[in-house]
Amino acid sequence: MPVTGRIVIDDIRPRASEPGFPAKAVIGEAVPVRAVIFKDGHDVLAARVQLYAEGRSAPESVAALATAANDLWTGTIVADRVGRHQLVVQAWTDRHASWKKRVLAKLDAGQDLSVEVEEGIELLARSVRDAAGVPRPEVEQAAAALADVTLDPVERLRPALTRQVADALAGPDGAPDLTVAPPKPLWVDRERALVGAWYELFPRSYGGFKGTEERVVQIGQLAFDVVYLPPIHPIGVTHRKGRDNTLGAGPDDPGSPWAIGAADGGHTAIDAGLGSLEDFVHLRETVEANGMELALDYALQCSPDHPWVHEHPEWFHHRPDGSIAYAENPPKRYQDIYPLNFWPARDEDRVALWRACRDILEHWIGLGVRLYRVDNPHTKPFAFWEWLIPSVQSRHPDVVFLAEAFTRPRVMEKLAEVGFSQSYTYFTWRTERDGEEGLWAYMEELTEGRAADFSRPNFWPNTPDILSGPLRNGSPAAFALRFLLAATLSPSYGVYSGYELYENEPASETNEEYLHSEKYEIRHRDFDRPGTLAPLMASVNRIRRSHPALQRLRNLHLLATDNPEIFAYAKVSDDGTDALIVAVTLDPLGVQESMVHLDLAALGLPGDRPFPVVDLLSGERFAWSGPAAFVRLEPWWRVGHIFDLRSEAPNRPPVTAP
Amino acid sequence: MPVTGRIVIDDIRPRASEPGFPAKAVIGEAVPVRAVIFKDGHDVLAARVQLYAEGRSAPESVAALATAANDLWTGTIVADRVGRHQLVVQAWTDRHASWKKRVLAKLDAGQDLSVEVEEGIELLARSVRDAAGVPRPEVEQAAAALADVTLDPVERLRPALTRQVADALAGPDGAPDLTVAPPKPLWVDRERALVGAWYELFPRSYGGFKGTEERVVQIGQLAFDVVYLPPIHPIGVTHRKGRDNTLGAGPDDPGSPWAIGAADGGHTAIDAGLGSLEDFVHLRETVEANGMELALDYALQCSPDHPWVHEHPEWFHHRPDGSIAYAENPPKRYQDIYPLNFWPARDEDRVALWRACRDILEHWIGLGVRLYRVDNPHTKPFAFWEWLIPSVQSRHPDVVFLAEAFTRPRVMEKLAEVGFSQSYTYFTWRTERDGEEGLWAYMEELTEGRAADFSRPNFWPNTPDILSGPLRNGSPAAFALRFLLAATLSPSYGVYSGYELYENEPASETNEEYLHSEKYEIRHRDFDRPGTLAPLMASVNRIRRSHPALQRLRNLHLLATDNPEIFAYAKVSDDGTDALIVAVTLDPLGVQESMVHLDLAALGLPGDRPFPVVDLLSGERFAWSGPAAFVRLEPWWRVGHIFDLRSEAPNRPPVTAP
């Protein structure tokens, strides 16, 4: 049975859906904390939240909670250290405020106050005993003043308690009903777990690691934050897939990088065609020298030629004839891949396999890689991730895991709950503003829904597997607007190489993959040709870096527009000094106009006079006034605005024109 | 850290808001159970819920769970034993269905099935090992049939697995991934905790216990289920309140029954003016002989003359001058009452007080009283109730506690969570259909809201303290419609004596109490005069007893009406054999008409032909057809209908006309 304290403290957030799992935050993030707090009777309560880094006895930070109505108390707390934390909410009777409330009510009713004066003196005396910091003369002076005010009005009572004494009485020290709620776990990541612009490329299309370095310099100029590589390991030859996912690869077909493992080695080896270990390390250093970070793919499956197939047949599924089963989701077949059996019959085999999977990560972590995009995590047991991720992060708390999952909502939620730092999302298929499947409802779900305290989105308009919606045979405007949405709605987003070149040919009318998918062949691209999306990418990425408002998710405020083809939203930084409004057309083909409706007070804007705004994309300046602004978007040259509402504030970053 | 099993089982309901507290049900109630259940990969799952009575190793009942979409699994379970239970949800891979799914997908795609046939034979062989009940010849025959079907269509595969073998393979026995979720506590009450028509009276107004017996016979004829008495203990004389809550009682003023305790004794004594202990027991027996049950008031406070004041001054609050503090909520003062200090400085004093409070209940339980209306529970610590109620119910699981609380929503919820069987509600102030404070939203909150799994309402149109809304100077129609709403919306409801006489004079324009409140004086009433509400009460109470649809809360389906002055709803019994539609006017003054819209399929009604309905209040028969019915209510002779939708079903109770 639970044990309720003297004061009830319930429904503490942030929290996961199931008890015991941690909520998530990043360093420096203003984390909203709330709890339902009340007590029997009529006393005035006070409450606070303390944040403890695991293993430390002194709190890392403390914040007061305040209540507006319905027993809901709120505040914000900020962590400044990576790792596991505990949120501890405490509540107690504010003896000073309770006493004052009684005194004021009786004063108003003209009732006798002699008992309350006696109580006030006793409270003061107790504060002398409790709070060593209160100098005795001040207390005696206050007590003397109190004794004089028997029937005086409130104005004479108020100074009777000095600020210092009042503070002592208002605080938790010595409060006989101080109640401490059971700690709620909070995992604190470095900021990259929440914020980052990802760029995915296949290094073999650039001639391997060495050739990729040149491309990395260009990507750095586009102000991306992460360069992510699909698997870089030896690729199997047995049942290797040919171009366009065909059976029977030709001798020059490179195969899918996700068919991991060959005679040269498995998940810790490097495909010889890409370069050496030294080349890899040099590439990582080049990525970092260009202001970015390298991310690798963590894909727990094997080609039939992977060394584990021979060394550890017990880690695979076996058919009745003894052969190892390739991956199937009937009628689909993946003959070039053996799935691992994460729950073999013998428990020591399970333990050995799980440890081997962790060793792979330890290998690459040892080589300086701290970001992992995890392939198909929802096809492995949740219990495995629940063990693996904390096990790795307890030793390397700066490691970030991105879940490549586009599966059912509760499965997505569970992956976040058991430890994934962030996840791919349904953004790719959210192309309208309204309706159950619209962007509005989806952004509300992500920012306020049941998983909002522990899941973080990473918005990808495309991936090597997914060419969807308006991008299929789409115009450059379609690519521009989907990019702008992804990069400004979510603090983490990513694109797969070729996006800036408007690559738009689907594999077929019903297939979401690309024609001539780079998964099965080498692609050569001309990134230097005129008219690409690169300038917009560079502008938006630079704006993202210089505007903290775009580096948070929960600060999203959706704005009403009269035209459903225009999607508009505001973001305000935690400290209020940065405030942006983004308006994007959802129509890549025609002109759209709309009024955008603003909550002036919430955005810190004046209601009684015009105010200046600057479009950070075009450099244009506008004077707005009142609670609505007009927007006209012609997609062939402008798919959206990013309006800076604090353009005249001191120390603002300069306007960035493309 | 939590430990996720091989299969994820999350979000199990019913449950309380905070972990560890039990959800609630009554014997025979169809309790909806739900859980989110899923596993990595593509296997077909099966799930069930088991209900264990505490201390028993065999489940009391078992129900299969089924899934429709979004990984949500649902079913219903029924308890047939009072006391603490555990709900255990289990899930496993249905090996037969998973195998069949693979076979069907491959058959559709024309793929080779030889591996699946081998797997089928292996599955059968395993079922022989696992399920001792499967006779070997049948398995061998099935295996032989399987071996033949390599490329045959699905119709030939199906009989290959006999039903018996398929059941064995579909079940949890031997399933290697059988996952058992942590048990969720469920407290099962007797039915009175959910269902009952209460009648409150002050026995002193009928000449004490003996005189009350005559009135009890009349109340029994009105088919009420519970007779509830305010405190029956000696009343203090110090600061006794006079008529109309005045200070300075006259010598003939009886005082408030809630000012408990005098020289004659405290909470276990009986006020001599009411009668002897024998008289009390005889009254209880008379109540029971008339088909009802007696409820007492449990009011934990003392008059200044209560024996505890002298015997246990440490159980009270003391002022700085050493005197005991009377009850105050400044500027309100209750000079005739000393509140108890439930958390004295010394813990042994707290323990002694809490035990003494429990001993009061043990005393009256020993005298056969199993229903308690608890006065002002929200002014006592929640931790006290969390200890007291399970402590009493572990010895007397048939004891029911009704919380007299009209306080803030989260406080109401907590009282239910820590153990109260049912509670007074905001019904008294919900008089409109629409809006945040309307009946529609309130009924949705009570039936589906966050506390719906563990809180039960008891609707009181009036109490000795509350004369509210349309009842203030209200017409007989106002009393009739509020009664009809209370008695048909909630399986538990109650009225305070005088309601049937339309007593409608408020204490003042702003005061919700009655003029000449019976709390402070003796009232004499003429229940035999013509034109009272008694006939309607008797009709409705008899309909409640004979129609199980009215004995449940969660079966409420609100029905759309075109006119917001008519509130309509359907109730269908757990087994579907009883179905009613109630339509009530909210306007006591004028004629109101409306179409009432029906979901024919949900109500088990035909869409292609007329169907008969009977108004159980008037006996009138109607033929309805289609998804809307017309209703016209003239409040001076008819405030509502109770339509029986199953009037032609066999074994229906006869139509009850007033």
Side-chain angles (χ1 to χ4, degrees), chain B residues 447-484:
Chain B
T447 54
E448 300 163 22
R450 41 176 289 131
D453 287 349
F454 56 90
S455 67
R456 304 188 188 103
N458 193 329
F459 277 9
W460 289 70
N462 75 328
T463 77
D465 286 320
I466 304 172
L467 177 69
S468 173
L471 303 184
R472 295 167 67 83
N473 302 306
S475 67
F479 282 73
L481 75 89
R482 295 295 297 171
F483 172 82
L484 186 55

Side-chain angles (χ1 to χ4, degrees), chain A residues 542-623:
Chain A
R542 288 192 194 113
I543 294 167
R544 283 170 46 92
R545 283 189 181 170
S546 57
H547 285 272
L550 291 178
Q551 296 163 16
R552 294 292 180 266
L553 175 71
R554 283 190 281 248
N555 63 347
L556 181 73
H557 299 279
L558 301 175
L559 301 178
T561 52
D562 304 328
N563 178 351
E565 294 293 332
I566 291 184
F567 191 50
Y569 36 95
K571 287 197 161 196
V572 181
S573 63
D574 293 341
D575 65 2
T577 60
D578 185 32
L580 305 177
I581 284 179
V582 183
V584 185
T585 182
L586 303 182
D587 174 9
L589 301 176
V591 175
Q592 297 291 346
E593 303 179 340
S594 185
M595 297 306 291
V596 176
H597 300 277
L598 322 172
D599 180 342
L600 294 171
L603 295 171
L605 297 173
D608 56 349
R609 59 178 194 280
F611 51 91
V613 304
V614 172
D615 180 359
L616 296 173
L617 289 172
S618 68
E620 291 165 284
R621 292 173 184 278
F622 304 89

Side-chain angles (χ1 to χ4, degrees), chain A residues 7 24 57 90 105 113 129 133 197 200 228 244 256 338 392 535 547 552 580 642:
Chain A
I7 298 173
K24 297 198 185 82
S57 58
Q90 304 175 326
L113 279 171
R129 292 195 302 271
E200 174 176 6
Y228 148 55
D244 287 307
S256 162
Y338 286 170
V392 169
H547 285 272
R552 294 292 180 266
L580 305 177
I642 303 178

Side-chain angles (χ1 to χ4, degrees), chain A residues 2-13 15 33-40 45-49 65 71 73 87-93 177-184, chain B residues 17-19 21 382 386 410 414 417 450:
Chain A
V3 178
T4 301
R6 186 69 184 89
I7 298 173
V8 174
I9 305 176
D10 272 0
D11 212 5
I12 298 169
R13 289 189 67 168
R15 70 169 172 201
V33 176
R34 48 159 274 180
V36 169
I37 301 174
F38 53 85
K39 182 186 159 185
D40 54 287
L45 301 183
R48 69 182 180 189
V49 56
L65 299 179
D71 302 306
W73 292 67
L87 280 168
V88 179
V89 174
Q90 304 175 326
W92 63 93
T93 294
D177 59 0
L178 174 66
T179 303
V180 182
K184 297 284 172 191
Chain B
S17 298
E18 296 291 317
F21 289 106
F382 299 90
E386 184 182 331
R410 293 302 294 246
K414 195 71 187 177
E417 192 170 61
R450 41 176 289 131

Side-chain angles (χ1 to χ4, degrees), chain A residues 1-6 8-12 15 17-22 34 36-42 70-71 84 101-102 105-106 109-112 115-116 118-119 122 184 318-321 326 328-333 341-343 377-383 386 390 408-411 413-414 417-418 450, chain B residues 1-6 8-12 15 17-22 34 36-42 70-71 84 101-102 105-106 109-112 115-116 118-119 122 184 318-321 326 328-333 341-343 377-383 386 390 408-411 413-414 417-418 450:
Chain A
M1 282 292 289
V3 178
T4 301
R6 186 69 184 89
V8 174
I9 305 176
D10 272 0
D11 212 5
I12 298 169
R15 70 169 172 201
S17 297
E18 295 292 317
F21 290 105
R34 48 159 274 180
V36 169
I37 301 174
F38 53 85
K39 182 186 159 185
D40 54 287
H42 311 289
N70 283 333
D71 302 306
R84 193 170 171 90
K101 179 184 163 198
R102 284 197 303 278
K106 290 198 161 188
Q111 294 174 355
D112 173 49
V115 170
E116 282 64 35
E118 288 299 315
E119 283 176 353
E122 194 181 285
K184 297 284 172 191
H318 294 267
R319 299 164 153 192
D321 65 1
Y326 55 77
E328 276 189 292
N329 183 13
K332 290 190 207 166
R333 304 194 236 191
N341 178 4
F342 281 88
W343 224 293
H378 54 293
T379 61
K380 286 87 187 170
F382 299 90
E386 183 181 329
R408 308 185 305 280
R410 294 300 295 246
V411 180
E413 175 184 326
K414 194 70 189 177
E417 192 170 62
V418 301
R450 39 175 292 130
Chain B
M1 282 291 287
V3 178
T4 301
R6 186 70 185 86
V8 174
I9 305 176
D10 273 0
D11 211 5
I12 298 169
R15 71 170 173 203
S17 298
E18 296 291 317
F21 289 106
R34 47 159 277 178
V36 170
I37 301 175
F38 53 86
K39 182 188 160 182
D40 53 288
H42 311 289
N70 284 330
D71 303 306
R84 193 169 171 91
K101 178 184 166 198
R102 283 197 305 277
K106 290 199 163 189
Q111 294 175 357
D112 173 49
V115 170
E116 281 65 34
E118 289 298 317
E119 283 176 352
E122 194 180 285
K184 299 284 173 190
H318 295 266
R319 299 163 150 188
D321 66 1
Y326 55 77
E328 276 189 293
N329 182 13
K332 289 190 208 165
R333 302 194 238 192
N341 178 4
F342 281 87
W343 223 293
H378 54 292
T379 60
K380 287 87 188 171
F382 299 90
E386 184 182 331
R408 309 186 303 279
R410 293 302 294 246
V411 180
E413 175 184 327
K414 195 71 187 177
E417 192 170 61
V418 300
R450 41 176 289 131

